[in-house]
Amino acid sequence: MRADAALLVIDVQNSFVEGGALAVPQGSHVVPVVNRLMPLFAHVVLTQDWHTAQHQSFASAHAGKQAFEKTQFFYGEQILWPDHCVQGTHGAELHADLHTHHADLILRKGCDPQVDSYSAFMHADRTSLTGLASFLKERSVRAVYCCGLATDFCVAWTAIDARAAGFATYVVEDACRAIDLNGSLAAAWHAMTNAGVQRTTSAALT
Ligand code: VGL
Ligand code: ZN
């Protein structure tokens, strides 16, 4: 049991697995891996992407725009996504096979209609915080292990912000899957490495 470490399980939700609105290839394959890892950690945090209907990050909220196009928001560049993880819908539910009883916190993000939230620590305006860093520090957590969906968006932004908040940070590669949009996976690993995020595998965690 890792007493001073937390497992951050990012967005393992129906919208992001096979058949979902923003399906990540092999997204459901992370579930058994994550289930094996959760009991190894004293602290487990699950996140849920939890968007309002007609969220501004949805292409459908912008006339003439297609999903996966980029546009400018007040805080910078934003990719427009298919409608996904709408509050209270099946797509927003955590995967039914995920052992959610291990979690001490389920954190919802993306609730502001105007602001996207990839990171579990900070919203995409790069200003407003979710409170997760304080939550973990008040529980004496020093290291965080990130896994879930998608490697190149919510997992990567979470890991980079975890480093910035002062945690030793690992990404458990085989407990993640990527969207990989126009080279986004390679770019994400580059950014994570530059930020001091370390890569590990579930086999190394016993
Ligand atoms: C995510 C795109 C939009 C993710 C969430 O969980 O990686 N990606 N919303
Ligand atoms: Zn989203």
Side-chain angles (χ1 to χ4, degrees):
M1 171 76 82
R2 288 169 165 70
D4 64 349
L7 185 68
L8 308 185
V9 182
I10 306 301
D11 299 0
V12 181
Q13 293 166 270
N14 293 326
S15 283
F16 295 123
V17 299
E18 298 85 335
L22 181 40
V24 179
Q26 300 187 337
S28 70
H29 293 210
V30 306
V31 172
V33 186
V34 172
N35 283 342
R36 188 185 75 74
L37 294 178
M38 286 194 280
L40 303 177
F41 289 83
H43 306 277
V44 175
V45 176
L46 309 181
T47 68
Q48 271 180 304
D49 212 29
W50 197 251
H51 295 306
T52 50
Q54 284 118 42
H55 193 266
Q56 285 296 297
S57 72
F58 296 168
S60 62
H62 304 267
K65 296 279 189 193
Q66 301 293 318
F68 308 110
E69 269 184 55
K70 287 178 181 166
T71 191
Q72 281 300 123
F73 276 14
F74 70 91
Y75 52 75
E77 191 178 89
Q78 170 72 43
I79 299 173
L80 296 174
W81 301 105
D83 290 27
H84 64 278
C85 298
V86 175
Q87 298 171 6
T89 66
H90 174 77
E93 292 304 315
L94 293 163
H95 191 287
D97 297 336
L98 193 67
H99 294 170
T100 58
H101 63 276
H102 289 297
D104 28 9
L105 175 69
I106 299 179
L107 177 79
R108 290 172 170 168
K109 61 187 180 62
C111 312
D112 181 332
Q114 309 296 331
V115 181
D116 209 358
S117 294
Y118 296 150
S119 165
F121 290 94
M122 194 189 285
H123 303 293
D125 59 10
R126 311 305 294 150
T127 315
S128 46
L129 300 173
T130 64
L132 181 58
S134 302
F135 177 93
L136 295 172
K137 285 176 182 172
E138 287 173 12
R139 285 164 179 73
S140 306
V141 169
R142 292 181 47 257
V144 301
Y145 289 73
C146 304
C147 61
L149 305 171
T151 322
D152 41 349
F153 290 95
C154 291
V155 175
W157 285 52
T158 296
I160 289 166
D161 285 350
R163 275 300 301 144
F167 298 101
T169 306
Y170 301 83
V171 170
V172 188
E173 287 186 61
D174 58 313
C176 303
R177 288 294 185 279
I179 296 174
D180 204 8
L181 192 64
N182 303 319
S184 57
L185 181 60
W189 278 121
H190 187 72
M192 288 192 278
T193 303
N194 278 347
V197 174
Q198 299 176 70
R199 294 166 85 136
T200 189
T201 64
S202 67
L205 301 174
T206 51

